[in-house]
Amino acid sequence: MEAPSGQRQRRLEFGLVSVSDLPPPAASTSSADSAPSSPAVARFGGGDSGVAELRFYRDNGASDVGGVELADAQIFKLGPVQSICMSEGSETNKEKSYSKGFNIHFKTEEESEAFHCTFEQLKKEGSIKGTRLPNGVLSTSKCKFDDKIEASSAKMYFHYYGQLLHQQNMLQDYVRTGTYYAAVIENRADFTGRVVVDVGAGSGILSLFAAQAGAKHVYAVEASEMAEYARKLVAGNPSLSQRITVIKGKVEEVELPEKADILISEPMGTLLVNERMLESYVIARDRFLVPDGKMFPTVGRIHMAPFSDEYLFVEIANKALFWQQQSYYDVNLTPLYGTAFQGYFSQPVVDAFDPRLLVAPPIFHVIDFTKVKEEDLYEIDVPLRFIAAVGTRVHGLACWFDVLFNGSTVPRWLTTAPGSPTTHWYQLRCVLSQPLYVMAGQEITGRLHLVAHKSQSYTIYLTLSTKMWGPGAEQGGILQTSSGKLDLKEPYYRMSQPQAYTIAQDQQPHQLLQSQDIEETDLLEQPAQNSGAHFS
C-alpha cells in the first residue's frame, strides 16, 4: 500500500523526453515552439507571489519554455507517457477556454504517475480556484486494473488484441459487426450532436460508426498497440477523422476533457463475462458518462439450460484413456488417470450445438450495465431450476448470452443463441463428469457460481441435482447430485458444427428456445417466471 503523502519525500523536478508549447487555435503551426523539442525538465515551485506553479525548461534548465500556475491548470493524460497541461482562460457561453498549454512526454510510465501525483497534491494544497477535472482526478496510487489482474495475463491480453489478425476475426463476424452498425445507424437520434466514448476501441470501427451517425466528437480509448492502427484507420477516413480522437491507455487511467453523452463498447467475452472487460465498461460509465447517459450495449443476459449430448460426453471421457496404459514404455501411467479425467472435464466446451439437445426450457440471468456495480461482477451467483421436457441423461449445463442496444428509435438485440446465426463467441457448455438421469416433468435444481480471478476470467462452480418425481414426491428428497469446477480461462475450443440429431416425437425443432421468448419491454421488469435467475 502506498504511504500517505505526508510520509514520503516529494519530488519537485522531473526529467522529460520533451515538452512543446501548444499554440492557440488561431496561431500558425509553423511556430518553432510547437515543434518537438529536445530533452527537458519540469519543475514545481513557488512564483514571485508565492503561488504554486509548474515551469518547463530545456537545455538542462537554461532555457525557460514557460509555465502555469497550478491553481489555474488542468492536466489530461493522453497515454501512459503522454499528457497535456493547460492553463484555464476565461469562460464564455458556459464553456471553458484555455490560454496556453504544453504537450509533455515522460521517460517512463512510472515517471508519469509520479508527476501526476505531485501535480494533484500541490494543486490541492495551494490556493485553488476552479473545479476538479470533469471526469475525476487520476488516481496517484496503483491502477485498479493492475490490482485486479496479473501482469502476465494483462500483457498477453493486450498483445493478443494488438494484432490485426485478431481484429479481423472479430470484424468478419458479420452478425456482431452488422448488429452494432444497425444499432448505431438506426438510432442516429442518440448520436447526432453527442459526445461519445468508445471503451476498448480496438480498430476504431465503432468510433467510425458513431461518427457516421453524426456524433459531435468520439473519444476512442484503447490500451493495446492497436491504438496506433486505429489512428491510421481514422486518418484514412478524412470525412470522419476530425471528430474522432484516439487515446492510448486504460479507461481506469486516462482523462478526458469532457463528459460523454453515450458510451459504446464491445466488452463481451465467452459466457458474456470472460476477460472481465465488463468491469472496465462499468468503470468508464462511472468516470465519463453524464447522468442518464446511454450505453450501447445497455443490458446483457446469460441464458442457461441443461443438455444431453452422449457424443460429447464420450469424446471428453475418452481423452483420458491415454492415462490408463499400464505399460507405456514399461511405465504405469494409471496413477494419473483420475487427475487427467477430472482435468478434461474442467474445461468448458466452446462450440455450436443443436438446440434440440436442450432438456428443459432455458432461464436467464440479467446484468443491467447502466446500474450494476463493478464489485457485483467479482462474484455472480445464479440459482437454477428447470423442469425436464424429456426423459434422458443430463450431461451438464449449456450457456449463451445476448445483449440489448436500447436505442431511442429501434431497440436491437445481438444474440449468440444455439440455432441462431453463429458468432465468434459460439456457445458454451459445462460438462459434468457424472451425468444425471431425468424423466419428463422431473425437476432439476442447482447453482451456477462464477468467481472472478486475476487471469481476467472466472472459476465456474456448477451443481445440478434431480429430485424424486411422481406420486409421493413431496416426501422424497434429492436423488442425484453432480458437481464440477471449471476454468473459463481454459476452454476446449471444439468448434464443430451441430450434428444432425433425430427429433423426439414429443419435441419440435426449437420448441424449448421458443418457450423462453418474452416481450422486449418486459426485460427490465422481471425474469422468466420459472427462473431462478435474478438481476445484478
Side-chain angles (χ1 to χ4, degrees), residues 313 315-324 333-349 395 429-435 459-462 481-488 490-492:
F313 177 80
E315 177 186 331
I316 295 175
N318 283 348
K319 289 183 178 183
L321 292 178
F322 170 83
W323 298 96
Q324 284 193 329
L333 300 182
T334 59
L336 297 180
Y337 170 73
T339 302
F341 183 84
Q342 292 300 327
Y344 284 118
F345 280 95
S346 72
Q347 292 184 283
V349 177
H395 293 104
R429 286 185 283 176
C430 300
V431 186
L432 295 170
S433 60
Q434 180 60 54
T459 301
I460 303 173
Y461 298 92
L462 172 64
T481 295
S482 184
S483 299
K485 177 183 177 182
L486 305 94
D487 189 354
L488 188 56
E490 301 292 341
Y492 165 33

Side-chain angles (χ1 to χ4, degrees), residues 291-307:
D292 300 321
K294 282 193 169 290
M295 298 178 72
F296 272 45
T298 316
V299 170
R301 302 189 301 184
I302 301 174
H303 301 256
M304 300 146 283
F307 73 93

Side-chain angles (χ1 to χ4, degrees), residues 153-312:
S153 176
K155 182 177 180 180
M156 292 180 62
Y157 175 79
F158 291 125
H159 174 73
Y160 180 91
Y161 285 107
Q163 300 179 66
L164 279 176
L165 69 157
H166 297 305
Q167 294 292 329
Q168 180 178 337
N169 177 50
M170 294 184 288
L171 291 173
Q172 288 182 317
D173 180 345
Y174 297 113
V175 176
R176 164 198 180 269
T177 307
T179 302
Y180 267 90
Y181 180 78
V184 173
I185 299 303
E186 292 174 350
N187 291 285
R188 289 178 178 271
D190 294 325
F191 289 86
T192 301
R194 307 294 172 82
V195 175
V196 180
V197 172
D198 184 356
V199 181
S203 65
I205 190 69
L206 301 185
S207 297
L208 290 162
F209 289 172
Q212 288 177 355
K216 175 184 175 183
H217 201 86
V218 184
Y219 296 94
V221 182
E222 172 57 41
S224 78
E225 294 303 317
M226 186 53 55
E228 298 303 322
Y229 294 111
R231 289 191 177 109
K232 289 183 180 180
L233 187 62
V234 168
N237 291 268
S239 63
L240 305 173
S241 61
Q242 296 302 311
R243 291 183 285 123
I244 301 175
T245 300
V246 178
I247 300 174
K248 187 174 186 293
K250 303 182 183 77
V251 295
E252 293 87 351
E253 296 179 307
V254 301
E255 299 291 347
L256 302 179
E258 56 186 327
K259 288 279 192 179
D261 302 300
I262 184 168
L263 296 186
I264 190 168
S265 182
E266 197 266 73
M268 300 89 73
T270 308
L271 194 60
L272 183 62
V273 296
N274 189 39
E275 296 178 339
R276 298 184 63 180
M277 192 181 164
L278 285 179
E279 294 165 41
S280 295
Y281 190 37
V282 170
I283 289 171
R285 176 200 70 193
D286 294 340
R287 297 193 68 216
F288 303 137
L289 193 62
V290 299
D292 300 321
K294 282 193 169 290
M295 298 178 72
F296 272 45
T298 316
V299 170
R301 302 189 301 184
I302 301 174
H303 301 256
M304 300 146 283
F307 73 93
S308 178
D309 191 342
E310 201 71 40
Y311 295 107
L312 176 61

